[in-house]
Amino acid sequence: MQVLEAQTVEEIFSNIQLKKAVKGLKDHNPVMTQRFGADPYALVYNGRVYLYMTGDMPTYDADGKLQENTYGNINIINVISSEDLVNWTDHGTVYAASETGAATWGANSWAPAAAYKNIDGKDRFFLYFANNGNGIAVLSADSPVGPFTDPINGPLISRKTPNCAEVTWLFDPAVLMDDDGSAYIYVGGGVPSIEKAANPGTARVAKLGDDMISLACDPQPIENVPFLFEDSGINKMGDKYYYSYCSNFSMKPEDEEKAGYNQGEIVTLVSESPMGPFEVYKPVLKNPEYFFGRGGNNHHCMFDFKGNWYITYHSRILEEAMDMNGGYRSTNIDVLEVKDGGPSVSKGTRSGVKQLSYLNPYDDVKAVTMANCAGVETRQYGEEAEKYGSGDMIVTGISDGSWISVMGADFGNAKPFELSVKLGGDGTGAIRVSLDSPDGEVLAYVPVEAMNGEVEDVFVSLKCVPEGVHDVYFTFAGTGYEFLSWRFIK
């Protein structure tokens, strides 16, 4: 590769205008900005939290006008993961439903839930989702990111399942893995009529079979779920079980005053048994409109990670930042307050949660591991990911002024002297690597020449020696090339 003169590269970047990020440089919400992701569900596995999200996809009419999100075209599930809740690795989109997805019999993939279980000495992963409002599918895999396949070639729960035909919306699954190894699934929602708004009777719970892809019993009604709308949630804290859901939008002011929560709010019930009976407990999260100004449905998941409790939920702050207004959702994470042993009131923020651990810049870091970005896209990388939708990913869509960043990289006192990056594609340009901001102290300039479609390692010497903890920014010039991974060498 021909090496560009340093001064030439500096001149290139002096004339480039940075792309504007859709969230603040220090904000952690939304957790992903390269595409939308709604109805988040958290799975904690081997020191990482994996988020599975409904793949909201903006649609436009023939004149290019943004259409309101009807969810009717959604058949993918987005997957990201993190070990620090700030830097998120993009694992792509599970091709979940329709003729091009794993569940070819289904039309849609809404509101995923995920679980894993050791079966015959091997961890198996299970992804449950709603086929619109008419039933629940289950996919399985040997990895939390897939490839996922359909082990039963049909619905796990449908309107033919006992006690389910009358459920208004047979959707929004949640799964509980209990301490004794048993598992339970919670589904349902909807208001049959305005007269039943106070107690719709549309929530269901069933014990899962040992294989996690069958039911061990018929689904049973969860009795007395006041003002249920949608969004099943389930958690065990101590020896109590907390069922959570979104309250419906038929609540009158007097209903709200008496109940102690508002319409469209996440509320909880408590029981000493996973199948109930449950009693009213506390509200935990107001509608996103309360915190961010734009409302809509409210969908959440509470999870325990590294000794602390968090709540992940969706809002519309990403579409607002993108000057869109169509009901397209993005995922946030905030601290879940726990009082008296149970979930309590939490707040939605743009700043998000604190970074739990530092990133190791001497590891091979996937370029799709990002805290923030502007003007880039990601795509599937490799035959398996391209076939199934999820797996390895690569940063693409690069253009002048686009950039990515990670937060809290700990260089320690090791005095690195070189940077290795893996690049591909046919384009040319350069990458500026800087500390703490896109125009911060420059660590290195990486010249980029055409790779003829291959991925190659490029090594460059550092202009200065980083020490301690810093954010790291990669700013791009040129186009037509792709970025797979990076690491510093000491």
Side-chain angles (χ1 to χ4, degrees), residues 197-428:
N199 188 9
T202 51
R204 298 291 184 269
V205 57
K207 187 175 182 179
L208 286 166
D210 291 339
D211 58 7
M212 300 292 288
I213 58 174
S214 62
L215 300 181
C217 69
D218 292 340
Q220 300 299 313
I222 304 176
E223 303 290 349
N224 301 317
V225 184
F227 297 103
L228 170 67
F229 186 56
E230 60 183 5
D231 180 27
S232 303
I234 187 68
N235 295 93
K236 189 176 186 180
M237 296 183 178
D239 58 356
K240 301 286 183 65
Y241 300 85
Y242 296 88
Y243 171 73
S244 48
Y245 62 96
C246 177
S247 59
N248 64 48
F249 292 86
S250 298
M251 297 183 75
K252 300 175 183 178
E254 56 266 32
D255 296 326
E256 295 177 326
E257 183 176 359
K258 183 178 179 180
Y261 53 81
N262 300 113
Q263 58 183 7
E265 188 166 352
I266 304 300
V267 296
T268 61
L269 308 180
V270 64
S271 175
E272 296 183 357
S273 167
M275 296 188 71
F278 288 89
E279 296 179 354
V280 172
Y281 191 65
K282 293 180 181 179
V284 295
L285 189 72
K286 290 188 178 295
N287 193 272
E289 183 177 16
Y290 179 85
F291 304 108
F292 307 113
R294 288 191 182 187
N297 62 356
N298 199 357
H299 201 108
H300 79 296
C301 177
M302 299 182 286
F303 64 98
D304 178 12
F305 186 56
K306 297 185 177 180
N308 294 292
W309 281 91
Y310 301 92
I311 186 165
T312 181
Y313 60 96
H314 64 223
S315 73
R316 296 169 59 192
I317 59 176
L318 177 57
E319 71 155 15
E320 184 178 30
M322 296 172 66
D323 293 324
M324 300 169 63
N325 190 2
Y328 296 96
R329 293 85 47 92
S330 54
T331 287
N332 294 356
I333 294 179
D334 276 294
V335 171
L336 174 69
E337 296 185 22
V338 176
K339 294 181 179 179
D340 302 321
S344 190
V345 176
S346 299
K347 298 178 181 178
T349 72
R350 295 177 187 269
S351 57
V353 300
K354 294 180 180 179
Q355 187 168 353
L356 298 186
S357 60
Y358 293 132
L359 181 143
N360 186 349
Y362 305 112
D363 284 342
D364 193 48
V365 180
K366 295 179 185 295
V368 293
T369 298
M370 301 180 285
N372 207 343
C373 65
V376 299
E377 300 172 359
T378 60
R379 71 167 181 86
Q380 286 81 9
Y381 176 73
E383 291 183 5
E384 185 173 276
E386 290 174 358
K387 179 179 179 180
Y388 294 98
S390 61
D392 289 334
M393 300 286 286
I394 193 168
V395 172
T396 188
I398 289 169
S399 61
D400 286 349
S402 58
W403 55 267
I404 64 174
S405 69
V406 294
M407 283 187 166
D410 188 1
F411 291 93
N413 298 312
K415 301 188 185 310
F417 67 92
E418 197 171 34
L419 172 67
S420 169
V421 297
K422 283 186 170 65
L423 301 172
D426 297 320
T428 61

Side-chain angles (χ1 to χ4, degrees), residues 41-61:
Y41 198 91
L43 171 68
V44 175
Y45 180 74
N46 275 1
R48 298 186 71 85
V49 58
Y50 293 81
L51 293 182
Y52 303 85
M53 300 164 285
T54 303
D56 276 12
M57 295 184 292
T59 56
Y60 300 84
D61 65 15

